[in-house]
């Protein structure tokens, strides 16, 4: 990472470490057993292979997607740079009686050999990712032939300051702005997407094929990028040969 990228990432990681203990609210993740959880579980099921697969959840945070993928019978690894988020993920996975490998790792260049996974998935991550095209290239390289990248995100069309992320007790006013400074925001190419053309183009330039974006109607109403309320899933595949 360059010094500039290091500084940007350090601010992002610090933000999520501060937020970690308060992240598991109904704004961010659905409680296991709730109807919202069932809706997310069915959504994740529809995006993953039917047969048990090796799944990498990049920017796993408190392990929401990792938990669901493990419940669906997949072998799951989660990486994140915020150790506080990973501690919360460990707690979630243990309470659920599941087995997920959780490691500190950069979603832009996850620390695994090529062709290690069948799926690289993320939820609510690409908006806060620097070097997004490099990330797509890394994810493509990590896939086995026929594997898929799944990126769940929203179009962030609302004004930043109206995001509920800045208004609850767990997320005091100013915290977001102090970490997501102008320099940080400038490094995040998908922070305020108006349409899907940029992530589609980056996925295709990374070598992924059959790239599609669909709206996730079952989980309409969830914010997966600042200001968005309709999650979408970009799915792209690694060529079989
Ligand atoms: C909005 S949270 C989403 C967490 C989780 N995926 C979910 O669905 O609840 C964004 C997460 O991305 C992580 N993150 C941001 N940049 C990262 C990077 N370069 N490498 C790994 N994790 C990163 C943050 O630490 C945070 O846990």
């Amino acid at each position: 990472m360059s010094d500039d990228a290091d500084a940007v990432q350090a601010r992002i990681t610090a933000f999520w470490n501060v937020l970690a203990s308060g992240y598991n609210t109904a704004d961010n993740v659905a409680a296991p057993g709730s109807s919202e959880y069932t809706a997310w579980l069915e959504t994740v099921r529809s995006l993953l292979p039917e047969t048990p697969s090796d799944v990498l959840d990049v920017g796993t945070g408190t392990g929401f997607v990792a938990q669901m993928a493990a419940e669906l019978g997949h072998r799951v690894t989660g990486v994140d740079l915020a150790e506080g988020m990973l501690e919360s993920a460990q707690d979630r996975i243990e309470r659920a009686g599941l087995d997920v490998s959780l490691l500190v790792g950069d979603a832009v260049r996850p620390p695994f050999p090529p062709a290690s996974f069948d799926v690289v998935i993320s939820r609510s991550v690409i908006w806060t990712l620097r070097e997004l095209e490099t990330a797509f290239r890394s994810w493509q390289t990590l896939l086995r032939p026929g594997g898929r990248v799944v990126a769940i995100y929203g179009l962030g069309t609302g004004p930043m300051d109206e995001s509920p992320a800045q208004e609850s007790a767990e997320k005091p006013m100013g915290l977001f702005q102090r970490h997501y400074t102008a320099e940080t925001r400038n490094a995040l190419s998908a922070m305020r997407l108006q349409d899907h053309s940029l992530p589609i183009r980056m996925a295709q330039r990374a070598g992924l094929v059959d790239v599609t974006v669909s709206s996730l109607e079952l989980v309409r109403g969830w914010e997966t990028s600042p200001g968005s309320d309709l999650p979408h899933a970009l799915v792209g595949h690694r060529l079989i040969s």
Side-chain angles (χ1 to χ4, degrees), residues 7 21 39 64 69 84 89 104 107 164 204 214:
S21 61
F64 182 55
V104 176
Q204 289 172 333
S214 56

Side-chain angles (χ1 to χ4, degrees), residues 21-34:
S21 61
Y23 184 77
N24 285 334
T25 65
D27 284 346
N28 299 319
V29 293
S34 64

Side-chain angles (χ1 to χ4, degrees), residues 37-131:
Y37 189 86
T38 303
W40 269 109
L41 187 66
E42 290 314 310
T43 298
V44 170
R45 187 198 302 276
S46 72
L47 296 167
L48 294 180
E50 286 180 14
T51 52
S53 302
D54 291 306
V55 174
L56 175 64
D57 181 25
V58 290
T60 191
T62 59
F64 182 55
V65 169
Q67 173 177 359
M68 291 185 284
E71 277 177 9
L72 291 168
H74 299 291
R75 300 172 293 275
V76 185
T77 302
V79 294
D80 204 286
L81 282 172
E83 295 188 41
M85 297 292 271
L86 285 173
E87 281 166 24
S88 176
Q90 189 65 47
D91 185 49
R92 166 193 292 280
I93 296 302
E94 281 172 16
R95 272 189 286 114
L98 296 167
D99 185 19
V100 169
S101 173
L102 294 164
L103 324 165
V104 176
D106 188 356
V108 176
R109 295 180 186 81
F112 304 98
S116 294
F117 296 97
D118 303 300
V119 181
V120 178
I121 193 167
S122 65
R123 186 193 80 137
S124 312
V125 171
I126 69 167
W127 72 267
T128 187
L129 223 47
R130 45 166 242 285
E131 301 174 73

Side-chain angles (χ1 to χ4, degrees), residues 40 122-127 136 150-156 190 193 195-200 212-216 222-225 228-235:
W40 269 109
S122 65
R123 186 193 80 137
S124 312
V125 171
I126 69 167
W127 72 267
F136 272 111
V150 179
I152 300 172
Y153 67 93
L155 300 178
L193 293 175
D195 60 48
H196 301 291
S197 55
L198 180 109
I200 290 174
T212 58
V213 175
S214 56
S215 58
L216 302 177
W222 285 81
E223 185 182 284
T224 44
S225 306
S228 76
D229 67 357
L230 177 56
H232 291 80
L234 177 149
V235 179

